[in-house]
Amino acid sequence: MSRRKLAAGNWKMNGLRAHLDEARALAAAHPAPSVGVLLCPPATLLAPMAEALKGSAVALGGQDCHAAPKGAHTGDIAAAMLADAGASHVIVGHSERRADHGETDADVAAKVRAAWQVGLVAVVCLGETEAQRDAGETLGVIGAQLAGSLPDGATASNTVIAYEPVWAIGTGRTPDRDQIAEVHDFLRRAVPDAATMLLYGGSVNPANASDIFAIANVDGALVGGASLKADDFGQIIQALERA
Ligand code: PGA
């Protein structure tokens, strides 16, 4: 089965309006990519980035949404607001949200439902800590997170899964080939729709992207630090196009 591919950039809490130049440069350098390209800037940049990238091949996503459609939730952002600002996707359950904001699998599942309700594709993040890996618990942890974070009704059209080992995020360390393959093989069998795209995330950069994309069942990447520069992210996009 041939699945679609996706290079997704997560800017996290980085980027002022001046940084839109990087997004413009990325779009200009990749006018017709053969893979999906997604940028998830901070919420303040969604609307101006949508304007800057109008007519380009780069899709936009939020980094989180609230589970409720609207209401008294100071500081939070509803899925409908992301869609209204130009997003087609939203990252949910990133390990930084799980750690910094105590998000549980049930919280993540509720956010996924909220995203689907307004037609956003949910990019659902899963990943073990280093202690869990050392204890041999990786597949158990990933299986439990998947079961708890993914509501009934997940399809390849409304959901993308990102495997992001917590210990590989922002550290420059990546799992070896076999470790990534083991988790992605497991996820391929565990997702309800076998066509669901499975991204790897955690210290992906221009130097290691080709090796990672050569691993079976890796359909792309969720990229943090290396997505902030058009040139670096562009090289990752090209590596995925060649894979
Ligand atoms: P990183 O972040 O590429 O900076 O390691 C990945 C992520 O958290 O999505």
Side-chain angles (χ1 to χ4, degrees):
M1 184 185 319
S2 103
R3 290 178 305 274
R4 289 174 305 138
K5 294 178 177 176
L6 179 65
N10 172 12
W11 280 14
K12 306 190 180 184
M13 199 171 72
N14 298 291
L16 304 176
R17 274 179 297 173
H19 214 94
L20 292 172
D21 286 347
E22 292 294 330
R24 282 192 200 93
L26 183 80
H30 302 272
S34 63
V35 299
V37 177
L38 172 68
L39 278 181
C40 301
T44 48
L45 288 187
L46 264 179
M49 193 179 280
E51 189 60 35
L53 298 185
K54 202 177 270 174
S56 84
V58 181
L60 293 183
Q63 298 177 8
D64 175 53
C65 66
H66 197 278
K70 62 177 180 169
H73 301 287
T74 302
D76 277 310
I77 299 176
M81 295 168 180
L82 298 175
D84 187 53
S88 53
H89 292 63
V90 60
I91 297 169
V92 282
H94 191 282
S95 62
E96 288 153 13
R97 300 284 320 169
R98 292 178 186 260
D100 294 355
H101 300 272
E103 290 186 10
T104 64
D105 291 335
D107 294 331
V108 176
K111 291 174 181 222
V112 173
R113 273 189 226 99
W116 289 349
Q117 229 139 43
V118 298
L120 294 179
V121 176
V123 180
V124 182
C125 302
L126 317 166
E128 82 286 1
T129 63
E130 187 158 34
Q132 288 165 334
R133 175 163 284 280
D134 290 346
E137 296 168 358
T138 298
L139 294 186
V141 166
I142 300 291
Q145 286 179 343
L146 185 73
S149 306
L150 210 56
D152 287 345
T155 68
S157 309
N158 63 20
T159 302
V160 173
I161 304 289
Y163 167 53
E164 300 207 306
V166 177
W167 52 275
I169 294 175
T171 60
R173 298 166 59 202
T174 51
D176 67 31
R177 226 190 134 73
D178 291 346
Q179 290 172 324
I180 296 176
E182 181 187 37
V183 174
H184 279 246
D185 290 351
F186 172 80
L187 285 170
R188 178 67 62 217
R189 288 193 299 273
V191 286
D193 179 348
T196 303
M197 278 193 281
L198 303 179
L199 310 183
Y200 167 78
S203 297
V204 177
N205 61 46
N208 63 20
S210 291
D211 286 345
I212 291 169
F213 296 148
I215 300 170
N217 288 312
V218 173
D219 305 313
L222 181 54
V223 183
S227 72
L228 290 166
K229 289 259 171 276
D231 186 45
D232 289 346
F233 195 40
Q235 290 182 53
I236 293 169
I237 292 166
Q238 285 171 339
L240 186 59
E241 288 180 310
R242 284 193 305 266

